[in-house]
Amino acid sequence: METPETSGKTHRHHGDLRETLISAGIELLDEGGLEALTLRRCAARAGVSHAAPAHHFKGISGLLTAIVARGYRKFTLTMIEEREKAANEPYARLEAICQGYLRFARENDALFVLMFSPQKLDFDDEELALQSESAYEVLAETCAPFQHGEAGSQGTEIMVWSLVHGFAVLSRRNRSGIADKMTPAVHFSDILPQLALKLPTP
Amino acid sequence: METPETSGKTHRHHGDLRETLISAGIELLDEGGLEALTLRRCAARAGVSHAAPAHHFKGISGLLTAIVARGYRKFTLTMIEEREKAANEPYARLEAICQGYLRFARENDALFVLMFSPQKLDFDDEELALQSESAYEVLAETCAPFQHGEAGSQGTEIMVWSLVHGFAVLSRRNRSGIADKMTPAVHFSDILPQLALKLPTP
DNA sequence: AGCGCTAACTTGACACTGTCTAGTTGCCTG
DNA sequence: CAGGCAACTAGACAGTGTCAAGTTAGCGCT
């Protein structure tokens, strides 16, 4: 039998270079944004040569994928955390995970951008698939209590996900000091109620 | 008086290197995706040296910004085109610009990604601001007939924009052959009606 | 125990990227 | 008709990711 823990290989350098590199990448990410995240810089910060990461990741995209996978994990936890603070009532719980979504985007700006960047990520990676589906699962189960429309439960999920994701993307521009006409000067809690969400009649 | 046309400078090379470089960039974009778009490659395709673009754009970000600005123009036109084919009725017009939105995203994949990529774009550029606000204007005027909620007309606009943008982003994953649980197997026309959109009582 | 073998890691090279600095050239203006 | 200037070229430089060849340390095997 093999547990995930036994797969940890303790080699000669420091405990786990793979984990160290991921952490270094996240540090670079919130210190200097996406531009600052570089394979060679990660290696340097971890104290190894620039070619060392190749033994742990499939190129730069492998490293980015691992970082994003860890990002999804934190993302999921943030939504759950907010949901547990909310009243045990479907609508309050839904609003809570949305606030968690937005808080994560606010507090992990560059990581959030990377997570939803379609470039340079290896979507065949199973760890990424696992973590991202786990995040979606939180959304799905929080949407489940509501009455679904023409498109079934997935229609409700996509409606909510799109709304909050789009709102997060637009809100980002504000923080970057862009100030378009399309940057929302509106609270999310004022637009969520405009979805036609109903509870089924018991 | 100065018209936008008189500002065209005809120098010695070909008519307008600036315009040629933008077109070359767009070509590279839909031939090889975002990875293929490079300052040096644009220059090569335009038949000039690698340092020539510097006289027309403020670095790579200037070129990308110009490409994106042109993208927004086409984007706006696509939405208007669909809207004019629709019945002259508020809801049909709104659905039409959403279909235009999604069609543009489908037909200009890499350009669409670049347009909403927060990196490497110069958001202080006034041409970009002009074109992107012009796109938003189409959305705003199509949303105007509806009854607005707590957050006013901008609340309605952001709700619709977020919904269609989020849907476009999620749909992209399908086409890339990712096949998550979060890729919608749903038609947009089935989830748009789930927004609580009402016309004011006359 | 001793001896490979293998995986981790280093060093160096390569083809790229964007940007900066000098030159060169051709057009327009005074 | 000169002078100036903007467009453009050629070359260099610091970075990037990736590949090829060495080195070294720890493990299993007879």
Side-chain angles (χ1 to χ4, degrees), chain A residues 9 13-22 42-43 46-48 52-53 56-57:
Chain A
K9 313 158 191 170
H13 199 258
H14 18 38
D16 229 344
L17 179 54
R18 186 187 157 90
E19 219 60 25
T20 309
L21 285 168
I22 296 177
C42 282
V48 294
H56 300 274
F57 301 102

mmCIF file with all atom_site columns, all heavy atoms in Angstrom, chain A residues 9 13-22 42-43 46-48 52-53 56-57, chain C residues 8-10:
data_model
loop_
_atom_site.group_PDB
_atom_site.id
_atom_site.type_symbol
_atom_site.label_atom_id
_atom_site.label_alt_id
_atom_site.label_comp_id
_atom_site.label_asym_id
_atom_site.label_entity_id
_atom_site.label_seq_id
_atom_site.pdbx_PDB_ins_code
_atom_site.Cartn_x
_atom_site.Cartn_y
_atom_site.Cartn_z
_atom_site.occupancy
_atom_site.B_iso_or_equiv
_atom_site.pdbx_formal_charge
_atom_site.auth_seq_id
_atom_site.auth_comp_id
_atom_site.auth_asym_id
_atom_site.auth_atom_id
_atom_site.pdbx_PDB_model_num
ATOM 1   N N     . LYS A 1 9  ? 10.195 12.297 -1.013  1.00 0.00 ? 9  LYS A N     1
ATOM 2   C CA    . LYS A 1 9  ? 11.569 11.820 -1.129  1.00 0.00 ? 9  LYS A CA    1
ATOM 3   C C     . LYS A 1 9  ? 12.495 12.788 -0.406  1.00 0.00 ? 9  LYS A C     1
ATOM 4   O O     . LYS A 1 9  ? 12.560 13.952 -0.753  1.00 0.00 ? 9  LYS A O     1
ATOM 5   C CB    . LYS A 1 9  ? 11.972 11.735 -2.598  1.00 0.00 ? 9  LYS A CB    1
ATOM 6   C CG    . LYS A 1 9  ? 10.954 11.052 -3.462  1.00 0.00 ? 9  LYS A CG    1
ATOM 7   C CD    . LYS A 1 9  ? 11.143 11.463 -4.924  1.00 0.00 ? 9  LYS A CD    1
ATOM 8   C CE    . LYS A 1 9  ? 9.975  10.990 -5.760  1.00 0.00 ? 9  LYS A CE    1
ATOM 9   N NZ    . LYS A 1 9  ? 9.975  11.555 -7.113  1.00 0.00 ? 9  LYS A NZ    1
ATOM 10  N N     . HIS A 1 13 ? 19.652 17.650 -0.473  1.00 0.00 ? 13 HIS A N     1
ATOM 11  C CA    . HIS A 1 13 ? 19.735 19.104 -0.313  1.00 0.00 ? 13 HIS A CA    1
ATOM 12  C C     . HIS A 1 13 ? 18.978 19.586 0.915   1.00 0.00 ? 13 HIS A C     1
ATOM 13  O O     . HIS A 1 13 ? 19.362 19.360 2.039   1.00 0.00 ? 13 HIS A O     1
ATOM 14  C CB    . HIS A 1 13 ? 19.232 19.798 -1.575  1.00 0.00 ? 13 HIS A CB    1
ATOM 15  C CG    . HIS A 1 13 ? 19.695 21.211 -1.653  1.00 0.00 ? 13 HIS A CG    1
ATOM 16  N ND1   . HIS A 1 13 ? 18.888 22.266 -1.355  1.00 0.00 ? 13 HIS A ND1   1
ATOM 17  C CD2   . HIS A 1 13 ? 20.896 21.723 -1.951  1.00 0.00 ? 13 HIS A CD2   1
ATOM 18  C CE1   . HIS A 1 13 ? 19.590 23.376 -1.492  1.00 0.00 ? 13 HIS A CE1   1
ATOM 19  N NE2   . HIS A 1 13 ? 20.806 23.086 -1.853  1.00 0.00 ? 13 HIS A NE2   1
ATOM 20  N N     . HIS A 1 14 ? 17.871 20.258 0.753   1.00 0.00 ? 14 HIS A N     1
ATOM 21  C CA    . HIS A 1 14 ? 17.019 20.519 1.895   1.00 0.00 ? 14 HIS A CA    1
ATOM 22  C C     . HIS A 1 14 ? 15.819 19.610 1.762   1.00 0.00 ? 14 HIS A C     1
ATOM 23  O O     . HIS A 1 14 ? 15.600 18.989 0.733   1.00 0.00 ? 14 HIS A O     1
ATOM 24  C CB    . HIS A 1 14 ? 16.597 21.976 1.969   1.00 0.00 ? 14 HIS A CB    1
ATOM 25  C CG    . HIS A 1 14 ? 16.767 22.695 0.684   1.00 0.00 ? 14 HIS A CG    1
ATOM 26  N ND1   . HIS A 1 14 ? 16.505 22.123 -0.531  1.00 0.00 ? 14 HIS A ND1   1
ATOM 27  C CD2   . HIS A 1 14 ? 17.185 23.937 0.411   1.00 0.00 ? 14 HIS A CD2   1
ATOM 28  C CE1   . HIS A 1 14 ? 16.772 22.985 -1.462  1.00 0.00 ? 14 HIS A CE1   1
ATOM 29  N NE2   . HIS A 1 14 ? 17.195 24.090 -0.950  1.00 0.00 ? 14 HIS A NE2   1
ATOM 30  N N     . GLY A 1 15 ? 15.030 19.574 2.779   1.00 0.00 ? 15 GLY A N     1
ATOM 31  C CA    . GLY A 1 15 ? 13.953 18.597 2.854   1.00 0.00 ? 15 GLY A CA    1
ATOM 32  C C     . GLY A 1 15 ? 13.287 18.335 1.530   1.00 0.00 ? 15 GLY A C     1
ATOM 33  O O     . GLY A 1 15 ? 13.329 17.227 1.018   1.00 0.00 ? 15 GLY A O     1
ATOM 34  N N     . ASP A 1 16 ? 12.701 19.348 0.949   1.00 0.00 ? 16 ASP A N     1
ATOM 35  C CA    . ASP A 1 16 ? 11.984 19.136 -0.294  1.00 0.00 ? 16 ASP A CA    1
ATOM 36  C C     . ASP A 1 16 ? 12.155 20.351 -1.194  1.00 0.00 ? 16 ASP A C     1
ATOM 37  O O     . ASP A 1 16 ? 11.528 21.378 -0.984  1.00 0.00 ? 16 ASP A O     1
ATOM 38  C CB    . ASP A 1 16 ? 10.497 18.916 0.003   1.00 0.00 ? 16 ASP A CB    1
ATOM 39  C CG    . ASP A 1 16 ? 9.973  17.695 -0.727  1.00 0.00 ? 16 ASP A CG    1
ATOM 40  O OD1   . ASP A 1 16 ? 10.644 17.225 -1.652  1.00 0.00 ? 16 ASP A OD1   1
ATOM 41  O OD2   . ASP A 1 16 ? 8.884  17.233 -0.365  1.00 0.00 ? 16 ASP A OD2   1
ATOM 42  N N     . LEU A 1 17 ? 13.011 20.186 -2.169  1.00 0.00 ? 17 LEU A N     1
ATOM 43  C CA    . LEU A 1 17 ? 13.270 21.318 -3.060  1.00 0.00 ? 17 LEU A CA    1
ATOM 44  C C     . LEU A 1 17 ? 12.016 21.704 -3.822  1.00 0.00 ? 17 LEU A C     1
ATOM 45  O O     . LEU A 1 17 ? 11.740 22.880 -4.042  1.00 0.00 ? 17 LEU A O     1
ATOM 46  C CB    . LEU A 1 17 ? 14.403 20.970 -4.030  1.00 0.00 ? 17 LEU A CB    1
ATOM 47  C CG    . LEU A 1 17 ? 14.753 22.070 -5.034  1.00 0.00 ? 17 LEU A CG    1
ATOM 48  C CD1   . LEU A 1 17 ? 15.060 23.373 -4.336  1.00 0.00 ? 17 LEU A CD1   1
ATOM 49  C CD2   . LEU A 1 17 ? 15.933 21.661 -5.898  1.00 0.00 ? 17 LEU A CD2   1
ATOM 50  N N     . ARG A 1 18 ? 11.254 20.713 -4.204  1.00 0.00 ? 18 ARG A N     1
ATOM 51  C CA    . ARG A 1 18 ? 10.023 20.983 -4.942  1.00 0.00 ? 18 ARG A CA    1
ATOM 52  C C     . ARG A 1 18 ? 9.122  21.962 -4.193  1.00 0.00 ? 18 ARG A C     1
ATOM 53  O O     . ARG A 1 18 ? 8.669  22.971 -4.741  1.00 0.00 ? 18 ARG A O     1
ATOM 54  C CB    . ARG A 1 18 ? 9.264  19.662 -5.165  1.00 0.00 ? 18 ARG A CB    1
ATOM 55  C CG    . ARG A 1 18 ? 8.062  19.805 -6.045  1.00 0.00 ? 18 ARG A CG    1
ATOM 56  C CD    . ARG A 1 18 ? 7.244  18.501 -6.092  1.00 0.00 ? 18 ARG A CD    1
ATOM 57  N NE    . ARG A 1 18 ? 5.879  18.788 -6.453  1.00 0.00 ? 18 ARG A NE    1
ATOM 58  C CZ    . ARG A 1 18 ? 5.419  18.822 -7.692  1.00 0.00 ? 18 ARG A CZ    1
ATOM 59  N NH1   . ARG A 1 18 ? 6.229  18.571 -8.689  1.00 0.00 ? 18 ARG A NH1   1
ATOM 60  N NH2   . ARG A 1 18 ? 4.157  19.126 -7.934  1.00 0.00 ? 18 ARG A NH2   1
ATOM 61  N N     . GLU A 1 19 ? 8.918  21.672 -2.924  1.00 0.00 ? 19 GLU A N     1
ATOM 62  C CA    . GLU A 1 19 ? 8.049  22.543 -2.124  1.00 0.00 ? 19 GLU A CA    1
ATOM 63  C C     . GLU A 1 19 ? 8.682  23.925 -1.932  1.00 0.00 ? 19 GLU A C     1
ATOM 64  O O     . GLU A 1 19 ? 7.998  24.957 -1.971  1.00 0.00 ? 19 GLU A O     1
ATOM 65  C CB    . GLU A 1 19 ? 7.798  21.867 -0.767  1.00 0.00 ? 19 GLU A CB    1
ATOM 66  C CG    . GLU A 1 19 ? 6.394  22.031 -0.245  1.00 0.00 ? 19 GLU A CG    1
ATOM 67  C CD    . GLU A 1 19 ? 5.356  21.452 -1.193  1.00 0.00 ? 19 GLU A CD    1
ATOM 68  O OE1   . GLU A 1 19 ? 5.674  20.531 -1.999  1.00 0.00 ? 19 GLU A OE1   1
ATOM 69  O OE2   . GLU A 1 19 ? 4.219  21.947 -1.163  1.00 0.00 ? 19 GLU A OE2   1
ATOM 70  N N     . THR A 1 20 ? 10.000 23.917 -1.730  1.00 0.00 ? 20 THR A N     1
ATOM 71  C CA    . THR A 1 20 ? 10.706 25.183 -1.559  1.00 0.00 ? 20 THR A CA    1
ATOM 72  C C     . THR A 1 20 ? 10.565 26.068 -2.788  1.00 0.00 ? 20 THR A C     1
ATOM 73  O O     . THR A 1 20 ? 10.375 27.284 -2.675  1.00 0.00 ? 20 THR A O     1
ATOM 74  C CB    . THR A 1 20 ? 12.204 24.920 -1.295  1.00 0.00 ? 20 THR A CB    1
ATOM 75  O OG1   . THR A 1 20 ? 12.326 23.970 -0.246  1.00 0.00 ? 20 THR A OG1   1
ATOM 76  C CG2   . THR A 1 20 ? 12.912 26.197 -0.908  1.00 0.00 ? 20 THR A CG2   1
ATOM 77  N N     . LEU A 1 21 ? 10.643 25.447 -3.956  1.00 0.00 ? 21 LEU A N     1
ATOM 78  C CA    . LEU A 1 21 ? 10.535 26.221 -5.197  1.00 0.00 ? 21 LEU A CA    1
ATOM 79  C C     . LEU A 1 21 ? 9.136  26.818 -5.340  1.00 0.00 ? 21 LEU A C     1
ATOM 80  O O     . LEU A 1 21 ? 8.974  27.966 -5.773  1.00 0.00 ? 21 LEU A O     1
ATOM 81  C CB    . LEU A 1 21 ? 10.843 25.317 -6.399  1.00 0.00 ? 21 LEU A CB    1
ATOM 82  C CG    . LEU A 1 21 ? 12.323 24.990 -6.599  1.00 0.00 ? 21 LEU A CG    1
ATOM 83  C CD1   . LEU A 1 21 ? 12.490 23.869 -7.616  1.00 0.00 ? 21 LEU A CD1   1
ATOM 84  C CD2   . LEU A 1 21 ? 13.084 26.224 -7.052  1.00 0.00 ? 21 LEU A CD2   1
ATOM 85  N N     . ILE A 1 22 ? 8.114  26.055 -5.005  1.00 0.00 ? 22 ILE A N     1
ATOM 86  C CA    . ILE A 1 22 ? 6.743  26.569 -5.088  1.00 0.00 ? 22 ILE A CA    1
ATOM 87  C C     . ILE A 1 22 ? 6.567  27.768 -4.160  1.00 0.00 ? 22 ILE A C     1
ATOM 88  O O     . ILE A 1 22 ? 6.034  28.811 -4.561  1.00 0.00 ? 22 ILE A O     1
ATOM 89  C CB    . ILE A 1 22 ? 5.736  25.461 -4.743  1.00 0.00 ? 22 ILE A CB    1
ATOM 90  C CG1   . ILE A 1 22 ? 5.805  24.333 -5.779  1.00 0.00 ? 22 ILE A CG1   1
ATOM 91  C CG2   . ILE A 1 22 ? 4.335  26.023 -4.665  1.00 0.00 ? 22 ILE A CG2   1
ATOM 92  C CD1   . ILE A 1 22 ? 4.887  23.163 -5.477  1.00 0.00 ? 22 ILE A CD1   1
ATOM 93  N N     . CYS A 1 42 ? 13.318 31.792 -9.035  1.00 0.00 ? 42 CYS A N     1
ATOM 94  C CA    . CYS A 1 42 ? 12.864 30.815 -8.055  1.00 0.00 ? 42 CYS A CA    1
ATOM 95  C C     . CYS A 1 42 ? 14.034 29.959 -7.591  1.00 0.00 ? 42 CYS A C     1
ATOM 96  O O     . CYS A 1 42 ? 14.218 29.728 -6.391  1.00 0.00 ? 42 CYS A O     1
ATOM 97  C CB    . CYS A 1 42 ? 11.791 29.909 -8.648  1.00 0.00 ? 42 CYS A CB    1
ATOM 98  S SG    . CYS A 1 42 ? 10.163 30.648 -8.750  1.00 0.00 ? 42 CYS A SG    1
ATOM 99  N N     . ALA A 1 43 ? 14.818 29.493 -8.557  1.00 0.00 ? 43 ALA A N     1
ATOM 100 C CA    . ALA A 1 43 ? 15.962 28.662 -8.220  1.00 0.00 ? 43 ALA A CA    1
ATOM 101 C C     . ALA A 1 43 ? 16.935 29.425 -7.327  1.00 0.00 ? 43 ALA A C     1
ATOM 102 O O     . ALA A 1 43 ? 17.416 28.912 -6.319  1.00 0.00 ? 43 ALA A O     1
ATOM 103 C CB    . ALA A 1 43 ? 16.650 28.196 -9.501  1.00 0.00 ? 43 ALA A CB    1
ATOM 104 N N     . ALA A 1 46 ? 15.717 29.735 -3.868  1.00 0.00 ? 46 ALA A N     1
ATOM 105 C CA    . ALA A 1 46 ? 15.780 28.461 -3.159  1.00 0.00 ? 46 ALA A CA    1
ATOM 106 C C     . ALA A 1 46 ? 17.226 28.029 -2.909  1.00 0.00 ? 46 ALA A C     1
ATOM 107 O O     . ALA A 1 46 ? 17.466 27.013 -2.257  1.00 0.00 ? 46 ALA A O     1
ATOM 108 C CB    . ALA A 1 46 ? 15.043 27.388 -3.952  1.00 0.00 ? 46 ALA A CB    1
ATOM 109 N N     . GLY A 1 47 ? 18.156 28.794 -3.461  1.00 0.00 ? 47 GLY A N     1
ATOM 110 C CA    . GLY A 1 47 ? 19.556 28.496 -3.210  1.00 0.00 ? 47 GLY A CA    1
ATOM 111 C C     . GLY A 1 47 ? 20.141 27.388 -4.061  1.00 0.00 ? 47 GLY A C     1
ATOM 112 O O     . GLY A 1 47 ? 21.133 26.762 -3.682  1.00 0.00 ? 47 GLY A O     1
ATOM 113 N N     . VAL A 1 48 ? 19.531 27.153 -5.215  1.00 0.00 ? 48 VAL A N     1
ATOM 114 C CA    . VAL A 1 48 ? 20.060 26.112 -6.106  1.00 0.00 ? 48 VAL A CA    1
ATOM 115 C C     . VAL A 1 48 ? 20.363 26.722 -7.477  1.00 0.00 ? 48 VAL A C     1
ATOM 116 O O     . VAL A 1 48 ? 20.052 27.882 -7.726  1.00 0.00 ? 48 VAL A O     1
ATOM 117 C CB    . VAL A 1 48 ? 19.061 24.947 -6.262  1.00 0.00 ? 48 VAL A CB    1
ATOM 118 C CG1   . VAL A 1 48 ? 18.881 24.215 -4.942  1.00 0.00 ? 48 VAL A CG1   1
ATOM 119 C CG2   . VAL A 1 48 ? 17.734 25.453 -6.792  1.00 0.00 ? 48 VAL A CG2   1
ATOM 120 N N     . ALA A 1 52 ? 18.302 23.345 -11.710 1.00 0.00 ? 52 ALA A N     1
ATOM 121 C CA    . ALA A 1 52 ? 17.819 22.365 -10.731 1.00 0.00 ? 52 ALA A CA    1
ATOM 122 C C     . ALA A 1 52 ? 16.309 22.101 -10.836 1.00 0.00 ? 52 ALA A C     1
ATOM 123 O O     . ALA A 1 52 ? 15.876 20.956 -10.723 1.00 0.00 ? 52 ALA A O     1
ATOM 124 C CB    . ALA A 1 52 ? 18.196 22.809 -9.326  1.00 0.00 ? 52 ALA A CB    1
ATOM 125 N N     . PRO A 1 53 ? 15.503 23.137 -11.050 1.00 0.00 ? 53 PRO A N     1
ATOM 126 C CA    . PRO A 1 53 ? 14.054 22.902 -11.082 1.00 0.00 ? 53 PRO A CA    1
ATOM 127 C C     . PRO A 1 53 ? 13.618 21.879 -12.121 1.00 0.00 ? 53 PRO A C     1
ATOM 128 O O     . PRO A 1 53 ? 12.565 21.257 -11.974 1.00 0.00 ? 53 PRO A O     1
ATOM 129 C CB    . PRO A 1 53 ? 13.476 24.293 -11.409 1.00 0.00 ? 53 PRO A CB    1
ATOM 130 C CG    . PRO A 1 53 ? 14.483 25.242 -10.885 1.00 0.00 ? 53 PRO A CG    1
ATOM 131 C CD    . PRO A 1 53 ? 15.805 24.591 -11.113 1.00 0.00 ? 53 PRO A CD    1
ATOM 132 N N     . HIS A 1 56 ? 12.297 18.600 -11.039 1.00 0.00 ? 56 HIS A N     1
ATOM 133 C CA    . HIS A 1 56 ? 11.073 18.518 -10.244 1.00 0.00 ? 56 HIS A CA    1
ATOM 134 C C     . HIS A 1 56 ? 9.841  18.976 -11.005 1.00 0.00 ? 56 HIS A C     1
ATOM 135 O O     . HIS A 1 56 ? 8.732  18.636 -10.626 1.00 0.00 ? 56 HIS A O     1
ATOM 136 C CB    . HIS A 1 56 ? 11.231 19.350 -8.973  1.00 0.00 ? 56 HIS A CB    1
ATOM 137 C CG    . HIS A 1 56 ? 12.354 18.903 -8.100  1.00 0.00 ? 56 HIS A CG    1
ATOM 138 N ND1   . HIS A 1 56 ? 12.219 17.906 -7.162  1.00 0.00 ? 56 HIS A ND1   1
ATOM 139 C CD2   . HIS A 1 56 ? 13.657 19.287 -8.041  1.00 0.00 ? 56 HIS A CD2   1
ATOM 140 C CE1   . HIS A 1 56 ? 13.378 17.719 -6.548  1.00 0.00 ? 56 HIS A CE1   1
ATOM 141 N NE2   . HIS A 1 56 ? 14.277 18.545 -7.067  1.00 0.00 ? 56 HIS A NE2   1
ATOM 142 N N     . PHE A 1 57 ? 10.061 19.760 -12.066 1.00 0.00 ? 57 PHE A N     1
ATOM 143 C CA    . PHE A 1 57 ? 8.923  20.266 -12.819 1.00 0.00 ? 57 PHE A CA    1
ATOM 144 C C     . PHE A 1 57 ? 9.195  20.117 -14.304 1.00 0.00 ? 57 PHE A C     1
ATOM 145 O O     . PHE A 1 57 ? 10.338 20.201 -14.748 1.00 0.00 ? 57 PHE A O     1
ATOM 146 C CB    . PHE A 1 57 ? 8.672  21.742 -12.492 1.00 0.00 ? 57 PHE A CB    1
ATOM 147 C CG    . PHE A 1 57 ? 8.407  21.995 -11.049 1.00 0.00 ? 57 PHE A CG    1
ATOM 148 C CD1   . PHE A 1 57 ? 9.401  22.507 -10.232 1.00 0.00 ? 57 PHE A CD1   1
ATOM 149 C CD2   . PHE A 1 57 ? 7.169  21.711 -10.499 1.00 0.00 ? 57 PHE A CD2   1
ATOM 150 C CE1   . PHE A 1 57 ? 9.163  22.732 -8.890  1.00 0.00 ? 57 PHE A CE1   1
ATOM 151 C CE2   . PHE A 1 57 ? 6.932  21.936 -9.157  1.00 0.00 ? 57 PHE A CE2   1
ATOM 152 C CZ    . PHE A 1 57 ? 7.925  22.450 -8.343  1.00 0.00 ? 57 PHE A CZ    1
ATOM 153 P P     . DA  C 2 8  ? 15.488 12.978 -8.687  1.00 0.00 ? 8  DA  C P     1
ATOM 154 O OP1   . DA  C 2 8  ? 14.328 13.199 -7.794  1.00 0.00 ? 8  DA  C OP1   1
ATOM 155 O OP2   . DA  C 2 8  ? 15.374 13.196 -10.139 1.00 0.00 ? 8  DA  C OP2   1
ATOM 156 O "O5'" . DA  C 2 8  ? 16.708 13.828 -8.117  1.00 0.00 ? 8  DA  C "O5'" 1
ATOM 157 C "C5'" . DA  C 2 8  ? 17.039 13.709 -6.746  1.00 0.00 ? 8  DA  C "C5'" 1
ATOM 158 C "C4'" . DA  C 2 8  ? 18.205 14.632 -6.421  1.00 0.00 ? 8  DA  C "C4'" 1
ATOM 159 O "O4'" . DA  C 2 8  ? 19.356 14.231 -7.207  1.00 0.00 ? 8  DA  C "O4'" 1
ATOM 160 C "C3'" . DA  C 2 8  ? 17.962 16.105 -6.746  1.00 0.00 ? 8  DA  C "C3'" 1
ATOM 161 O "O3'" . DA  C 2 8  ? 18.453 16.894 -5.673  1.00 0.00 ? 8  DA  C "O3'" 1
ATOM 162 C "C2'" . DA  C 2 8  ? 18.759 16.315 -8.026  1.00 0.00 ? 8  DA  C "C2'" 1
ATOM 163 C "C1'" . DA  C 2 8  ? 19.905 15.345 -7.861  1.00 0.00 ? 8  DA  C "C1'" 1
ATOM 164 N N9    . DA  C 2 8  ? 20.474 14.847 -9.118  1.00 0.00 ? 8  DA  C N9    1
ATOM 165 C C8    . DA  C 2 8  ? 19.796 14.346 -10.193 1.00 0.00 ? 8  DA  C C8    1
ATOM 166 N N7    . DA  C 2 8  ? 20.565 13.965 -11.185 1.00 0.00 ? 8  DA  C N7    1
ATOM 167 C C5    . DA  C 2 8  ? 21.849 14.240 -10.730 1.00 0.00 ? 8  DA  C C5    1
ATOM 168 C C6    . DA  C 2 8  ? 23.123 14.059 -11.311 1.00 0.00 ? 8  DA  C C6    1
ATOM 169 N N6    . DA  C 2 8  ? 23.313 13.547 -12.531 1.00 0.00 ? 8  DA  C N6    1
ATOM 170 N N1    . DA  C 2 8  ? 24.198 14.426 -10.579 1.00 0.00 ? 8  DA  C N1    1
ATOM 171 C C2    . DA  C 2 8  ? 24.008 14.937 -9.360  1.00 0.00 ? 8  DA  C C2    1
ATOM 172 N N3    . DA  C 2 8  ? 22.852 15.154 -8.707  1.00 0.00 ? 8  DA  C N3    1
ATOM 173 C C4    . DA  C 2 8  ? 21.802 14.776 -9.456  1.00 0.00 ? 8  DA  C C4    1
ATOM 174 P P     . DC  C 2 9  ? 18.081 18.453 -5.620  1.00 0.00 ? 9  DC  C P     1
ATOM 175 O OP1   . DC  C 2 9  ? 18.099 18.843 -4.200  1.00 0.00 ? 9  DC  C OP1   1
ATOM 176 O OP2   . DC  C 2 9  ? 16.863 18.671 -6.432  1.00 0.00 ? 9  DC  C OP2   1
ATOM 177 O "O5'" . DC  C 2 9  ? 19.316 19.136 -6.355  1.00 0.00 ? 9  DC  C "O5'" 1
ATOM 178 C "C5'" . DC  C 2 9  ? 20.622 18.997 -5.774  1.00 0.00 ? 9  DC  C "C5'" 1
ATOM 179 C "C4'" . DC  C 2 9  ? 21.679 19.337 -6.792  1.00 0.00 ? 9  DC  C "C4'" 1
ATOM 180 O "O4'" . DC  C 2 9  ? 21.675 18.376 -7.867  1.00 0.00 ? 9  DC  C "O4'" 1
ATOM 181 C "C3'" . DC  C 2 9  ? 21.564 20.688 -7.495  1.00 0.00 ? 9  DC  C "C3'" 1
ATOM 182 O "O3'" . DC  C 2 9  ? 22.417 21.636 -6.869  1.00 0.00 ? 9  DC  C "O3'" 1
ATOM 183 C "C2'" . DC  C 2 9  ? 22.020 20.411 -8.926  1.00 0.00 ? 9  DC  C "C2'" 1
ATOM 184 C "C1'" . DC  C 2 9  ? 22.465 18.948 -8.881  1.00 0.00 ? 9  DC  C "C1'" 1
ATOM 185 N N1    . DC  C 2 9  ? 22.238 18.239 -10.173 1.00 0.00 ? 9  DC  C N1    1
ATOM 186 C C2    . DC  C 2 9  ? 23.331 17.890 -10.964 1.00 0.00 ? 9  DC  C C2    1
ATOM 187 O O2    . DC  C 2 9  ? 24.473 18.167 -10.573 1.00 0.00 ? 9  DC  C O2    1
ATOM 188 N N3    . DC  C 2 9  ? 23.136 17.253 -12.149 1.00 0.00 ? 9  DC  C N3    1
ATOM 189 C C4    . DC  C 2 9  ? 21.897 16.962 -12.540 1.00 0.00 ? 9  DC  C C4    1
ATOM 190 N N4    . DC  C 2 9  ? 21.753 16.316 -13.700 1.00 0.00 ? 9  DC  C N4    1
ATOM 191 C C5    . DC  C 2 9  ? 20.751 17.302 -11.759 1.00 0.00 ? 9  DC  C C5    1
ATOM 192 C C6    . DC  C 2 9  ? 20.967 17.941 -10.582 1.00 0.00 ? 9  DC  C C6    1
ATOM 193 P P     . DT  C 2 10 ? 22.626 23.089 -7.580  1.00 0.00 ? 10 DT  C P     1
ATOM 194 O OP1   . DT  C 2 10 ? 23.025 24.035 -6.514  1.00 0.00 ? 10 DT  C OP1   1
ATOM 195 O OP2   . DT  C 2 10 ? 21.468 23.414 -8.433  1.00 0.00 ? 10 DT  C OP2   1
ATOM 196 O "O5'" . DT  C 2 10 ? 23.879 22.818 -8.509  1.00 0.00 ? 10 DT  C "O5'" 1
ATOM 197 C "C5'" . DT  C 2 10 ? 25.107 22.350 -7.952  1.00 0.00 ? 10 DT  C "C5'" 1
ATOM 198 C "C4'" . DT  C 2 10 ? 26.240 22.465 -8.963  1.00 0.00 ? 10 DT  C "C4'" 1
ATOM 199 O "O4'" . DT  C 2 10 ? 26.006 21.534 -10.053 1.00 0.00 ? 10 DT  C "O4'" 1
ATOM 200 C "C3'" . DT  C 2 10 ? 26.394 23.852 -9.602  1.00 0.00 ? 10 DT  C "C3'" 1
ATOM 201 O "O3'" . DT  C 2 10 ? 27.767 24.186 -9.680  1.00 0.00 ? 10 DT  C "O3'" 1
ATOM 202 C "C2'" . DT  C 2 10 ? 25.761 23.680 -10.982 1.00 0.00 ? 10 DT  C "C2'" 1
ATOM 203 C "C1'" . DT  C 2 10 ? 26.057 22.216 -11.297 1.00 0.00 ? 10 DT  C "C1'" 1
ATOM 204 N N1    . DT  C 2 10 ? 25.045 21.575 -12.171 1.00 0.00 ? 10 DT  C N1    1
ATOM 205 C C2    . DT  C 2 10 ? 25.448 20.932 -13.322 1.00 0.00 ? 10 DT  C C2    1
ATOM 206 O O2    . DT  C 2 10 ? 26.608 20.849 -13.678 1.00 0.00 ? 10 DT  C O2    1
ATOM 207 N N3    . DT  C 2 10 ? 24.420 20.368 -14.044 1.00 0.00 ? 10 DT  C N3    1
ATOM 208 C C4    . DT  C 2 10 ? 23.070 20.392 -13.746 1.00 0.00 ? 10 DT  C C4    1
ATOM 209 O O4    . DT  C 2 10 ? 22.242 19.854 -14.468 1.00 0.00 ? 10 DT  C O4    1
ATOM 210 C C5    . DT  C 2 10 ? 22.726 21.095 -12.534 1.00 0.00 ? 10 DT  C C5    1
ATOM 211 C C7    . DT  C 2 10 ? 21.288 21.195 -12.105 1.00 0.00 ? 10 DT  C C7    1
ATOM 212 C C6    . DT  C 2 10 ? 23.708 21.644 -11.816 1.00 0.00 ? 10 DT  C C6    1
#
